[in-house]
Amino acid sequence: MALVNVLETPAGGFSFENASRNAALEKIFEGRKTPTPLKTGTTIAGVVFKDGVVLGADTRATSSEVVADKMCAKIHYIAPNIYCCGAGTAADTQKTTDILSSNLAIFSLNSGRNPRMVMATNIVQDMLYRYHGNIGAHLILGGVDCTGNHLYKVGPWGSIDTTPFMAMGSGDLAAMGILEDKFKPNMEMEEAKELVRAAIDCGIMNDLGSGHNIDLCVITRQGVDYIRPFQESLYKDNRNTKYKYRRGTTAILTQEVVPLKLEVVQETVLRMDM
Amino acid sequence: MERRCLDAQNKGVSTGTTILAATFDGGVVIGSDSRASVGGEYVSSKTINKVIQVHDQIFCCMAGSLADAQAVLKAAKFHLSFHSVQMQSPPQVIAAASVLKELCYNNKDELQAGFITAGWDRRKGPQVYVVSLGGMMVRQSVTIAGSGSTYIYGYVDAKYRPNMTREECLQFATNALALAMGRDNVSGGVAHLVVITKSGVEHVVVPGDKLPKFHDQ
């Protein structure tokens, strides 16, 4: 259902604009396997604590069996008081959260109200439902608003669920184990941060699709603390990324200077009146 | 996780459920379990809410694809609310059921959701309607639906009596849900029950460990 006061998203049904473009692109590969979309193969988790919400994510983005990005940012900004972790197809989560952020801002300006978690969840649920699961965005939205501290899980087909703790992504089973074991209602901030860190860490250690650093985002009434990275990977490479060499690295054997004689053919001066 | 979703015949998270509603003398009891699953092998939520209030004294239970059911109920809430503003009076239970029926029937190719609607209105008192997958709407005095309902047809047929008291009906519904949850792998969690009468609405939640036990060693 389209919300009034929201930027126009294409009405009703799946949009087939790109079907002919996709067919042309597939022809380029001449029947060989087309490249698979970049997936975040992820562990994301969220926990509600006494004063707010903690969101956590790993930072590995994979493309089949290759790690495409070691420092991928999976916690996206939605509103000053709402952030969203995304798992699934990287492009889909990034674009969906971008669109959600814009639509929510417009909706807030038009209605004159600060953004609420239920607003954000409804907007993204409507959008994902319209595409019937073809947008591979598995999201955990977390935020603090006038009604309290909330966490919502949105599936790619458009289903929503709300619980005080949740995990998604390929490492969700591992993370859920830690959360189920150690979660307590009304935890303090440090406890909650440590719980989310442990859950993501478990995902990193036990899931091949998750890895590298842990990012944390703590949202409270007072504000947002986006800690990137909260925990760094044990495996660091000391790569010298300076590829500029000083003069004389390559020995000069001979040198010949040939001056180019240039004639002035035409000269025009344009005055700029400042 | 992606593999689990791709393998799922149903679209993503399914409510794979047990839902029921029964009329008693002066009101109606509507109830469900609280499990949401993916692909028949992962419980994605132990505490999903399947009993949704679509108006002051009308509640609906959902079965099937969670995304489809939530989307349809959202639209139904809007239509009912608009209808009641236009009519300047609370909607009738049949109106709620009809809204769901229209949506399910007209979009039967895309949707995979069934509903039980129960409520109280001034004209006909307590009523229960079932809207099945293809959009058939039927009024019944007691009805069960969802994957877990197959295990309790015998129990419901044998034990339901019209004009029970409120307590008897609540016990009947709790027992039925407990039996279904005990046998169906995709039903479980807590039992959510709502009692709707002329005077109002009462929520009863029975946690899993407090459900009646039937030969469970």
Side-chain angles (χ1 to χ4, degrees), chain B residues 19 30 50-54 58-62 73 76 80 96-97 100 115-118 196:
Chain B
I19 52 178
I30 182 168
K50 301 185 210 182
V51 187
I52 309 286
Q53 182 167 25
V54 292
I58 308 175
F59 280 73
C60 288
C61 270
M62 53 167 111
L73 281 175
L80 268 180
L100 292 171
F115 303 90
I116 291 181
T117 310
I196 310 164

Coordinates of all heavy atoms in Angstrom, one line a residue, chain B residues 19 30 50-54 58-62 73 76 80 96-97 100 115-118 196:
Chain B
I19 N -4.5 -22.6 14.4 CA -5.4 -21.5 14.8 C -6.8 -22.0 14.9 O -7.2 -23.0 14.3 CB -5.4 -20.3 13.8 CG1 -5.7 -20.7 12.4 CG2 -4.1 -19.5 13.9 CD1 -5.7 -19.6 11.4
I30 N -10.9 -16.9 20.4 CA -10.1 -17.1 19.2 C -8.6 -17.3 19.7 O -8.2 -16.6 20.6 CB -10.2 -15.9 18.2 CG1 -9.4 -16.2 16.9 CG2 -9.9 -14.6 18.8 CD1 -9.7 -15.3 15.8
K50 N 0.1 -14.0 16.1 CA -0.7 -14.4 14.9 C -2.2 -13.9 15.2 O -3.0 -14.1 14.3 CB -0.7 -15.9 14.7 CG 0.7 -16.4 14.4 CD 0.6 -17.9 14.1 CE 1.9 -18.5 14.5 NZ 2.0 -19.9 14.2
V51 N -2.5 -13.4 16.4 CA -3.9 -13.0 16.6 C -3.9 -11.4 16.5 O -3.3 -10.8 17.4 CB -4.4 -13.4 18.0 CG1 -5.8 -13.1 18.2 CG2 -4.1 -14.9 18.2
I52 N -4.4 -10.9 15.4 CA -4.3 -9.5 15.2 C -5.6 -8.8 15.4 O -6.7 -9.3 14.9 CB -3.8 -9.2 13.7 CG1 -2.6 -10.0 13.4 CG2 -3.6 -7.8 13.5 CD1 -1.3 -9.5 14.1
Q53 N -5.6 -7.7 16.1 CA -6.9 -7.0 16.3 C -7.1 -6.1 15.1 O -6.4 -5.2 14.8 CB -6.8 -6.1 17.5 CG -8.1 -5.4 17.8 CD -8.0 -4.8 19.3 OE1 -7.0 -4.6 19.8 NE2 -9.2 -4.6 19.8
V54 N -8.2 -6.3 14.3 CA -8.5 -5.5 13.1 C -9.5 -4.4 13.5 O -9.6 -3.4 12.7 CB -9.0 -6.3 11.9 CG1 -7.8 -7.2 11.4 CG2 -10.2 -7.1 12.2
I58 N -13.1 -7.1 16.9 CA -12.9 -8.1 15.9 C -11.5 -8.5 15.8 O -10.6 -7.6 15.6 CB -13.4 -7.6 14.5 CG1 -14.8 -7.0 14.6 CG2 -13.3 -8.7 13.4 CD1 -15.3 -6.4 13.3
F59 N -11.2 -9.8 15.9 CA -9.8 -10.2 15.8 C -9.7 -11.2 14.7 O -10.6 -11.9 14.3 CB -9.4 -10.9 17.1 CG -9.0 -10.0 18.2 CD1 -10.0 -9.3 18.9 CD2 -7.7 -9.8 18.6 CE1 -9.7 -8.4 19.9 CE2 -7.4 -9.0 19.6 CZ -8.3 -8.2 20.3
C60 N -8.4 -11.3 14.1 CA -8.2 -12.3 13.0 C -7.0 -13.1 13.4 O -6.0 -12.6 13.9 CB -7.9 -11.6 11.7 SG -9.4 -10.8 11.0
C61 N -7.0 -14.4 13.0 CA -5.8 -15.2 13.1 C -5.3 -15.5 11.8 O -6.1 -15.7 10.8 CB -6.2 -16.6 13.8 SG -6.1 -16.6 15.5
M62 N -4.0 -15.6 11.6 CA -3.4 -15.8 10.3 C -2.7 -17.1 10.2 O -2.2 -17.6 11.1 CB -2.4 -14.7 9.9 CG -1.4 -14.5 11.0 SD 0.0 -13.5 10.4 CE -0.2 -12.0 11.4
L73 N -3.6 -8.4 6.2 CA -4.2 -7.9 7.5 C -4.0 -6.4 7.6 O -4.9 -5.6 8.1 CB -3.7 -8.6 8.7 CG -4.3 -10.0 8.9 CD1 -3.7 -10.7 10.1 CD2 -5.8 -9.9 9.2
A76 N -6.6 -4.9 5.4 CA -7.9 -5.2 6.0 C -8.2 -4.2 7.1 O -9.2 -3.6 7.2 CB -8.0 -6.6 6.5
L80 N -11.3 -1.6 7.0 CA -12.3 -1.6 8.1 C -12.4 -0.3 8.8 O -13.5 0.2 9.1 CB -11.9 -2.7 9.1 CG -12.5 -4.1 8.8 CD1 -12.1 -5.0 9.9 CD2 -14.0 -4.0 8.8
A96 N -15.5 -7.6 8.2 CA -14.1 -7.9 8.3 C -13.7 -9.1 7.5 O -12.8 -9.2 6.8 CB -13.7 -8.1 9.8
A97 N -14.6 -10.2 7.7 CA -14.3 -11.4 7.0 C -14.4 -11.2 5.5 O -13.6 -11.8 4.7 CB -15.3 -12.5 7.4
L100 N -11.3 -9.6 4.0 CA -10.2 -10.6 3.8 C -10.5 -11.5 2.7 O -9.6 -11.9 1.9 CB -10.1 -11.4 5.1 CG -9.5 -10.7 6.3 CD1 -9.6 -11.6 7.6 CD2 -8.1 -10.3 6.1
F115 N -7.3 -17.2 6.9 CA -7.6 -16.5 8.1 C -8.8 -17.1 8.8 O -9.7 -17.7 8.2 CB -7.9 -15.0 7.7 CG -6.8 -14.3 7.0 CD1 -6.7 -14.3 5.7 CD2 -5.7 -13.7 7.8 CE1 -5.7 -13.7 5.0 CE2 -4.7 -13.1 7.1 CZ -4.6 -13.1 5.7
I116 N -8.8 -16.8 10.1 CA -10.1 -17.1 10.9 C -10.4 -15.7 11.5 O -9.6 -15.1 12.1 CB -9.8 -18.1 12.0 CG1 -9.6 -19.5 11.4 CG2 -11.1 -18.1 12.9 CD1 -9.4 -20.6 12.4
T117 N -11.6 -15.3 11.3 CA -12.1 -14.0 11.9 C -13.1 -14.3 12.9 O -14.0 -15.1 12.7 CB -12.7 -13.1 10.8 OG1 -11.8 -13.0 9.7 CG2 -13.0 -11.7 11.3
A118 N -13.0 -13.6 14.1 CA -14.0 -13.8 15.1 C -14.2 -12.5 15.8 O -13.3 -11.7 15.9 CB -13.5 -14.8 16.1
I196 N -13.7 -12.6 23.3 CA -14.4 -11.4 22.9 C -15.9 -11.5 23.3 O -16.6 -12.5 22.9 CB -14.3 -11.2 21.4 CG1 -12.9 -11.2 20.9 CG2 -14.9 -9.8 21.0 CD1 -12.7 -11.4 19.4

